[in-house]
Amino acid sequence: MITRRRLLEGASAGAALAGFGGLARSPRAYAGELDLPAALPSGLRGEAALEALPGKKPLIKMSYRPPNYETPIEYFRDPITPNDAFFVRYHLSDIPDATDKAIDPTSWKVVVGGDGANREVALTLDDLKALPAAEVVAVNQCSGNRRGLFQPHVPGVEWGYGAMGCARWKGARLKDVLDKAGVKKEAIEIVLNGADGPPVDKTPDFIKSIPVWKAMEDTTLIAYEMNGAPLPHLNGAPARIIVPGWTGTYWMKHIISIKAVTRPEASFWMNPAYRIPVGKFPVVARFITQETAANTPITEMVVNSLITSHADGASVKAGSLTVGGIAWDGGYGIRGVEVSTDGGKSWRAATLGQDLGRFAFRPFSAGVPASSGKLTVMARATNNIGQTQTAELIANPAGYHHNVMHSVTLTVG
Amino acid sequence: MRIVTALTAALVSSLVALPSRADEKPVELKKAPGVEKVEGNCAACHSLDYIKMNSPFMSAATWDAEVTKMIKAFGAPISDADAAAIKDYLKANYGG
């Protein structure tokens, strides 16, 4: 149970915020910011806490084991999320220690093969680094980010806004690694497995696949660096798969096995898990070998945005107010962001900030007039293929793809 | 690390006593009939904050389905009697 006292005693809580865009905050102010959205389940609100995993700043703990910790919104004021504030998400609780030989950088290897490959090869970290290096700035967002905001609620990890982050990833191209094994024409999917697994052997291991066409894109990587540093242990050290534009479920951490296969992967985590109903979302990137009449694997992220300059409920001075945040999508790039202060009746264009590439968070800011009273500011992003955010939740059983327009209500004094 | 032997109920109970992660703090569930079955079975694979996080909105049918999923899809070695007690506890204490 989280208490104000425990938060105040967490000496690192204040330090975590000291670097935020010059907005120094006391631990007390930070504690106040863990006033999580009222729309989250009350059970989660009572249990969530700011807690630091090894090597991490205090993040918002959803569950201890497996560890699921989300990033506080304040960190998204910068389009690059720091490694030590990057969210942590595991399905299964048997996570190798950093010194385990399966993931120790000096002993780690990834085996590449499968019935859709000409041969089986094993690559060490040095082998991987000997391949041409590629970099991409890309958002890694959990499929279920904002699940906790679904009304009615659906079971699962009840994430708020922070099951996402954006980093500069560096590694080898997956296609260069696959070329070492030689992918046959008959191969349809690339199957990914990591060194982490279930605590009991009857629980399905977390195994995912992606279509061969996605695996062969220039931007799909096996990354060994994140923001210029080795991957943090709990973000997939020493190497993980980067699938820009697609939700985090495919970004296999601690990658140790890559297989080209000629039949659709049938793991629990491909079906029934991570499915969206057919026809409900505007999906361009299809995963045809996994589709059924009723549902399809979740693939690319839906266009979305988040106001980060002000916390919901914050107080501001009357006059001219600048609000800002970030926007992102499944890799088409952000065409524009608009803000509204009248509940969506009228909109004004925001100014877009630094462009770190079509897979990255795109900052935005807009000036809005603020006179005394309550002011609700809403943001809406549109991408380069004309997709925009929804005003009303698109219900689906697993609570994926929440891109309802975000708003904050400020007290202007 | 992975437990590759077939799990017995006794082994599951011994697992609960093991320190899980250094950063894991105890999660207090409501003291009510059946709580020891929940702690003894569910905590073998996941921390108990999963239960509180998913409350109080879960209906009786949803809690039933969740426990069944843990057994059928995730292979949790839970006896029929314990499963019934766990369902009753969750519905009575963390249901909507």
Side-chain angles (χ1 to χ4, degrees):
Chain A
M1 188 71 187
I2 185 76
T3 63
R4 173 60 58 95
R5 183 157 165 248
R6 198 166 102 199
L7 276 170
L8 291 174
E9 286 169 352
S12 48
L17 264 285
F20 269 162
L23 296 173
R25 285 145 201 265
S26 68
R28 185 180 182 83
Y30 195 25
E33 289 188 73
L34 197 61
D35 290 339
L36 296 165
L40 293 171
S42 60
L44 179 275
R45 286 161 49 82
E47 189 65 21
L50 276 171
E51 297 198 19
L53 289 162
K56 291 281 186 181
K57 295 272 176 57
L59 304 178
I60 304 169
K61 189 271 299 178
M62 303 276 120
S63 66
Y64 288 116
R65 178 172 49 93
N68 287 295
Y69 288 67
E70 75 170 62
T71 302
I73 286 180
E74 289 77 10
Y75 288 101
F76 301 124
R77 288 177 184 158
D78 191 289
I80 296 290
T81 315
N83 290 3
D84 59 6
F86 212 92
F87 82 108
V88 171
R89 197 276 181 267
Y90 281 86
H91 298 80
L92 304 170
S93 59
D94 186 20
I95 302 166
D97 294 333
T99 54
D100 189 301
K101 68 177 183 182
I103 65 166
D104 182 311
T106 61
S107 52
W108 173 88
K109 62 182 180 180
V110 60
V111 176
V112 187
D115 75 316
N118 292 321
R119 66 194 80 83
E120 183 173 289
V121 297
L123 282 77
T124 65
L125 200 56
D126 285 342
D127 294 335
L128 203 60
K129 289 180 176 176
L131 292 168
E135 285 191 15
V136 61
V137 180
V139 174
N140 175 15
Q141 179 181 230
C142 177
S143 308
N145 194 23
R146 307 189 182 184
R147 176 183 292 117
L149 304 175
F150 270 62
Q151 293 290 351
H153 290 302
V154 295
V157 177
E158 299 297 325
W159 300 109
Y161 293 100
M164 63 174 190
C166 179
R168 181 180 297 277
W169 310 94
K170 179 182 177 182
R173 291 189 178 88
L174 182 54
K175 69 174 185 179
D176 289 344
V177 171
L178 288 166
D179 280 350
K180 296 276 187 189
V183 177
K184 296 177 183 171
K185 283 195 171 57
E186 308 90 274
I188 56 172
E189 297 180 10
I190 304 299
V191 179
L192 310 165
N193 194 10
D196 51 319
V200 301
D201 61 345
K202 285 185 179 172
T203 301
D205 194 6
F206 184 67
I207 295 171
K208 298 292 296 188
S209 68
I210 55 176
V212 168
W213 68 263
K214 187 65 181 174
M216 294 298 181
E217 287 192 341
D218 276 347
T219 48
T220 301
L221 310 181
I222 305 185
Y224 43 77
E225 275 188 24
M226 175 176 175
N227 295 327
L231 301 184
H233 175 220
L234 295 174
N235 295 114
R240 75 178 302 172
I241 301 292
I242 304 302
V243 191
W246 286 31
T247 64
T249 184
Y250 300 103
W251 297 43
M252 186 63 68
K253 297 185 293 296
H254 315 296
I255 184 78
I256 55 169
S257 168
I258 299 171
K259 289 179 179 170
V261 297
T262 58
R263 294 177 180 209
E265 167 60 31
S267 84
F268 171 84
W269 299 102
M270 289 306 297
N271 192 2
Y274 285 102
R275 295 263 157 177
I276 56 171
V278 166
K280 278 210 162 189
F281 296 97
V283 178
V284 178
R286 289 172 60 184
F287 195 162
I288 290 171
T289 55
Q290 288 280 346
E291 288 180 358
T292 72
N295 59 47
T296 182
I298 192 167
T299 55
E300 62 197 3
M301 291 179 280
V302 291
V303 62
N304 217 335
S305 64
L306 181 69
I307 296 169
T308 61
S309 58
H310 297 80
D312 189 35
S315 295
V316 297
K317 287 184 178 164
S320 175
L321 175 70
T322 299
V323 296
I326 48 171
W328 66 98
D329 77 328
Y332 303 98
I334 297 301
R335 174 189 293 167
V337 178
E338 302 156 290
V339 297
S340 174
T341 53
D342 58 7
K345 288 198 274 290
S346 66
W347 297 87
R348 70 182 65 208
T351 302
L352 296 182
Q354 185 180 17
D355 184 359
L356 294 170
R358 62 194 173 99
F359 297 111
F361 283 150
R362 188 78 192 266
F364 68 87
S365 63
V368 295
S371 50
S372 293
K374 294 284 185 191
L375 175 69
T376 298
V377 185
M378 185 187 298
R380 177 176 75 181
T382 302
N383 70 4
N384 284 324
I385 59 169
Q387 297 172 335
T388 191
Q389 294 180 241
T390 184
E392 292 195 15
L393 180 71
I394 302 172
N396 64 100
Y400 297 142
H401 275 340
H402 184 296
N403 71 336
V404 178
M405 291 179 277
H406 179 228
S407 65
V408 294
T409 297
L410 309 174
T411 301
V412 184
Chain B
M1 279 170 58
R2 196 160 306 167
I3 299 150
V4 290
T5 53
L7 275 174
T8 63
L11 179 51
V12 170
S13 297
S14 72
L15 273 176
V16 175
L18 290 172
S20 38
R21 290 185 63 85
D23 28 76
E24 182 172 342
K25 299 185 180 112
V27 175
E28 291 276 325
L29 294 183
K30 290 178 193 167
K31 299 283 179 256
V35 68
E36 74 287 352
K37 300 294 186 191
V38 173
E39 291 172 347
N41 285 283
C42 309
C45 289
H46 62 82
S47 50
L48 299 173
D49 40 13
Y50 269 86
I51 292 169
K52 297 171 87 168
M53 172 168 66
N54 280 282
S55 71
F57 61 89
M58 301 252 291
S59 67
T62 310
W63 273 126
D64 282 344
E66 203 64 31
V67 175
T68 300
K69 178 174 128 182
M70 291 300 153
I71 297 167
K72 300 276 191 210
F74 284 75
I78 302 176
S79 69
D80 290 349
D82 278 11
I86 290 167
K87 288 176 180 174
D88 287 346
Y89 172 86
L90 294 172
K91 288 184 278 193
N93 294 285
Y94 290 96

